[in-house]
Amino acid sequence: MTTTAVKREGPAAVTPAPTLGTHVNNYWRRVRGGDIGALPAVFMLFALVIGFSIARPTFFTAGNFANLFTQGAATTLIAMGLIFVLLLGEIDLSAGFASGVCAAILANAVTERGYPWYVAMLAAVITGVVIGTMLGLLVAKVGIPSFVVTLAGFLAFQGIVLMLMKEGSNISVRDDTILAIANRNLSPTLGWALAAVAVAGYAAVQLLRHRNRAARGLLTDPIAVVAARIAGLAVILGAAVYVLNLERSRNVLVVSLKGVPIVVPIIAVLLVVWTFVLQRTSYGRHVYAVGGNAEAARRAGINVDRIRISVFVICSTMAAIGGIVAASRANSVDPNTGGSNVLLYAVGAAVIGGTSLFGGKGRILDAVLGGAVVAVIDNGMGLMGYSSGVKYVVTGVVLLAAATIDALSRRRAAATGTR
């Protein structure tokens, strides 16, 4: 007589959460394996802030702190768009003058033709979308290398800006709403309220993610790490809002100057939106897949051409937003808007922040961190009285160091098998 054993299935095994010590050890192992993320940018930023604060005490004042945000805003926004292109291993050399073209469209619409601010801004953004679509089609459908296409765009858009500016004239921007973007501040109360909403929203996302992963038996971070992230964000935002809410005016009887610059929440919203797109949507996963291996992505059913076109559209659209902010800060648009060091600083910000030039690696947060590094270098060295030539040399050295670290970390990751 044969007896058949019946296997009874129990509940699914739950993966235990690692301890704090295990989490730290795993993180350190990833760092040694080449997965360093944004660590170089963070260390660089802290070192620069400390160094400039010691060398020039005026660097770490409320007034200069606010100036850093407005000074680096346009560069950061353009860098956000460039990250999408860099994730595919492509490049957009026309982003700077694309922002200039869009700024010129804005100034012409609102000043020369008298359109309302929202019509002028919409026209500038639509111009960015058209530019990105044109560049993307040439790269994806015609097969011209992005370097050549965007270099041609760099030259052509520079000419378009000159034509829109009537060969050298300057168009003032007088609309109060547009000028407020980079020159006005939120009320102190509203600044605190937005900071509280940001911390509460981040906490909700982190805790819900932790609970959902634990419920599905997936590996989760220790709750202490989650709490540390939330507390860290609360401290950073709280300190920033406190400093920015200090009175910055030299003569309070004439004008009061305090509060978070309006451009800061604009950057924050775009940071959240694009981070969500890249990390929480199928489109974002497709971007990383194409950047990692385009042929494998194509065989997996991903429309590679559509992804290529879309990243150039996003890049030029963000360039348009950056151009609007630049026009707001300068109170005008001239033939040099979007030129000079705009593109160099934007690409530098993306790479310094941790985005790889080889594709497949990068986050939107990299643009913010890299933009902060570039702004601190430019601002701090200006306070110390260094010439523009020295600023360019130092920024170039920092960019080269970031690219070198990226290349070495990728080599290390390949050798250890972590990628």
Side-chain angles (χ1 to χ4, degrees):
M1 183 177 182
T2 304
T3 303
T4 303
V6 179
K7 182 179 179 181
R8 296 185 178 181
E9 296 184 356
V14 178
T15 303
T19 62
L20 181 59
T22 304
H23 179 84
V24 172
N25 289 334
N26 290 339
Y27 177 76
W28 178 242
R29 190 179 298 112
R30 292 198 304 271
V31 170
R32 288 190 302 173
D35 186 11
I36 58 177
L39 277 180
V42 174
F43 287 143
M44 206 178 302
L45 184 60
F46 273 109
L48 289 168
V49 169
I50 292 172
F52 285 132
S53 298
I54 294 173
R56 284 290 183 273
T58 54
F59 175 83
F60 204 71
T61 59
N64 196 56
F65 186 52
N67 185 50
L68 283 171
F69 284 104
T70 56
Q71 186 175 347
T75 297
T76 300
L77 291 168
I78 297 173
M80 284 184 180
L82 280 166
I83 284 175
F84 282 86
V85 174
L86 293 174
L87 282 173
L88 264 59
E90 305 285 358
I91 190 65
D92 186 353
L93 300 177
S94 68
F97 275 115
S99 72
V101 171
C102 296
I105 293 293
L106 172 82
N108 271 279
V110 76
T111 301
E112 300 290 327
R113 301 181 183 277
Y115 289 114
W117 64 268
Y118 49 87
V119 174
M121 290 178 66
L122 181 61
V125 172
I126 291 176
T127 301
V129 173
V130 172
I131 289 174
T133 303
M134 178 184 65
L135 297 175
L137 286 171
L138 289 171
V139 172
K141 297 299 185 181
V142 182
I144 307 173
S146 60
F147 180 88
V148 177
V149 171
T150 58
L151 179 59
F154 174 89
L155 298 172
F157 298 152
Q158 186 174 6
I160 292 174
V161 171
L162 285 172
M163 289 188 288
L164 290 172
M165 294 289 101
K166 298 177 183 178
E167 300 297 334
S169 64
N170 183 301
I171 300 179
S172 298
V173 177
R174 304 185 184 90
D175 185 88
D176 290 338
T177 302
I178 295 175
L179 293 178
I181 294 174
N183 297 288
R184 301 287 185 272
N185 306 300
L186 303 175
S187 67
T189 302
L190 184 55
W192 282 116
L194 290 178
V197 169
V199 173
Y202 181 75
V205 170
Q206 289 291 314
L207 293 173
L208 283 174
R209 183 186 179 197
H210 184 274
R211 188 188 68 177
N212 291 339
R213 289 182 65 86
R216 289 183 290 174
L218 301 175
L219 189 66
T220 61
D221 293 333
I223 192 65
V225 173
V226 176
R229 289 180 187 146
I230 297 171
L233 180 66
V235 170
I236 292 172
L237 290 184
V241 173
Y242 172 78
V243 172
L244 291 171
N245 280 345
L246 296 175
E247 183 60 63
R248 306 192 292 272
S249 175
R250 296 182 178 181
N251 192 340
V252 183
L253 297 177
V254 176
V255 61
S256 178
L257 187 61
K258 58 183 177 180
V260 178
I262 291 175
V263 74
V264 173
I266 293 174
I267 293 175
V269 168
L270 289 169
L271 171 64
V272 172
V273 169
W274 291 127
T275 298
F276 176 82
V277 168
L278 277 181
Q279 298 185 359
R280 293 287 182 268
T281 66
S282 59
Y283 170 79
R285 290 189 290 272
H286 291 172
V287 170
Y288 283 110
V290 174
N293 190 322
E295 184 57 34
R298 182 179 288 106
R299 294 186 180 187
I302 297 174
N303 191 327
V304 175
D305 287 350
R306 184 178 299 172
I307 296 296
R308 279 208 171 98
I309 295 170
S310 67
V311 297
F312 280 98
V313 171
I314 292 173
C315 182
S316 295
T317 302
M318 290 302 298
I321 297 174
I324 293 171
V325 172
S328 172
R329 183 168 185 262
N331 295 348
S332 64
V333 177
D334 59 60
N336 196 44
T337 301
S340 185
N341 56 11
V342 173
L343 172 68
L344 304 179
Y345 276 6
V347 174
V351 176
I352 291 170
T355 297
S356 175
L357 289 168
F358 302 98
K361 174 193 168 188
R363 302 173 303 167
I364 300 301
L365 181 61
D366 296 343
V368 178
L369 293 173
V373 171
V374 171
V376 166
I377 293 174
D378 191 48
N379 180 278
M381 298 196 75
L383 290 176
M384 294 181 68
Y386 287 106
S387 66
S388 297
V390 177
K391 293 180 188 178
Y392 288 149
V393 170
V394 173
T395 307
V397 170
V398 171
L399 173 58
L400 181 61
T404 302
I405 291 172
D406 175 45
L408 293 177
S409 65
R410 289 179 68 89
R411 184 182 301 176
R412 176 68 177 172
T416 57
T418 56
R419 285 185 193 172

